[in-house]
Amino acid sequence: MIKKAFITGITGQDGSYLTELLLEKGYEVHGIVRRNSILFRSRIEHLFEKYKDKKLFLYYGDLSDGTNISKLLYNIQPDEIYNLAAQSHVRISFDIPAYTADITGVGVIRLLEAIKDSGIKTKFYQASSSEMYGKVSETPQNEKTCFHPRSPYACAKVFAHHQTINYRESYGMFACSGILFNHESPRRGENFVTKKITKGVAEIKNGLSNKIILGNLDSKRDWGYAKEYVEAMWLMLQQDEPDDYVIATGETHTVREFLEEAFGFVNLNWEDYVEFDERFLRPAEVDLLVGDYSKAKEKLGWEPKVKFKELVKLMVEADLEAISQ
C-alpha cells in the first residue's frame, strides 16, 4: 500500500529535499503552498517532470487557516505529516514578531488540533530549531539542554516544541520534534547569511558585484547539509515510539570562517569585498551553537557525512554554475 505524506513548507529548502526523498521511496506526497509561494516553486518544479505518475499534489493554504488544514487532512488521510512551514528568518522575526508567533508557534497548535479533531491515524514531525537554545547553558547542546530563546522566532519555536510534547503526552499522538541545527544547501533562501555569501562570491568572481554587506561575523554555528537532515526527519517517523532528536554535525564555525572558505575557493581575499552594517545585527545575539547528535546516531542510525568545508564548496560551485548558465 502506498504511503501518503503531507508537508507544510513544501516549496522551501527542506520541503523540496524531503519531497524528493519521499517520492524516491514511493510515497504519494501532498503539500500546501501559500499563494505568493508560486515564485519559489523552482525548488520542486523538476519533480513534476521526473514523477509524471501524479504522486505529487499541491494545495493553496497556510498555517493561519486551521479550518482548511483540517479539511485537507481529513480528505488526504496522510500516514505522515511534516511541519516545515514557518516564518523562519531570525532577524526578520524582530520586525514582525506577532506574525512570526502566529505562523511559527500557534500554527503548530492548528495542525495538532486538526490531527486530533479529524481522528486520523498519522505520525507528526515538528521542525524545531537550535535557535531555541539561544544563550546556551552548556556546550555542546543536546536534547536535555535548557532553552533560552533570544528572538521572537526562537520563542515561537520553543512554544511549538513544547506543544508537540504536550499533545504527545496528553493524547497519545505519535508526535516528535527534530531539533535541527543550521543546515544549508544550494537551495537555501537568498536572505540567509550562507547563501548571501556564496551567491555574493559567485557574483564577485564573475564581475557582477564588488561587495557583500553583513552583520556579526563572530557568530559560531553548527552547519550541516540540508539534504542529509531531511533523511533524519523521515527516520524519526519510522520508529516504533515518538521521541525528540538533535540533528547536527558536532562542529562549530564562525561566519568569518565561512567567508574565508568561500572566497578561498575562488582565490580571493574576503576582506577586500565584505562590509559591515549594524542594521544586520540582531537586538539579542546568539553567539555559539553546536549540537550533540549522539542520540540520533544511536537510535536512528543517522550521522552527517557532508561537513563544513565540503558544504561551502558545494554551495559556491552551485552558485558559480547558476551564473554561468
Side-chain angles (χ1 to χ4, degrees), residues 58-117:
L58 300 181
Y59 312 86
Y60 287 117
D62 62 44
L63 294 184
S64 67
D65 188 350
T67 301
N68 183 49
I69 291 170
S70 293
K71 181 176 68 175
L72 285 171
L73 294 186
Y74 182 79
N75 290 335
I76 296 167
Q77 297 279 313
D79 300 285
E80 298 171 4
I81 297 172
Y82 298 86
N83 180 38
L84 310 182
Q87 189 303 99
S88 59
H89 197 285
V90 178
R91 177 61 191 84
I92 292 173
S93 76
F94 285 99
D95 300 326
I96 49 173
Y99 175 78
T100 300
D102 183 49
I103 299 302
T104 307
V106 181
V108 178
I109 287 283
R110 297 187 184 105
L111 261 172
L112 291 167
E113 277 292 291
I115 294 169
K116 179 170 70 73
D117 293 344

Side-chain angles (χ1 to χ4, degrees), residues 276-306:
F276 169 80
D277 191 326
E278 63 180 13
R279 290 178 299 173
F280 292 105
L281 295 177
R282 304 177 186 178
E285 288 286 345
V286 173
D287 298 319
L288 168 64
L289 293 174
V290 56
D292 174 4
Y293 64 90
S294 56
K295 180 179 175 181
K297 182 177 180 180
E298 177 188 350
K299 295 193 174 183
L300 304 179
W302 181 92
E303 58 183 320
K305 300 179 182 66
V306 174

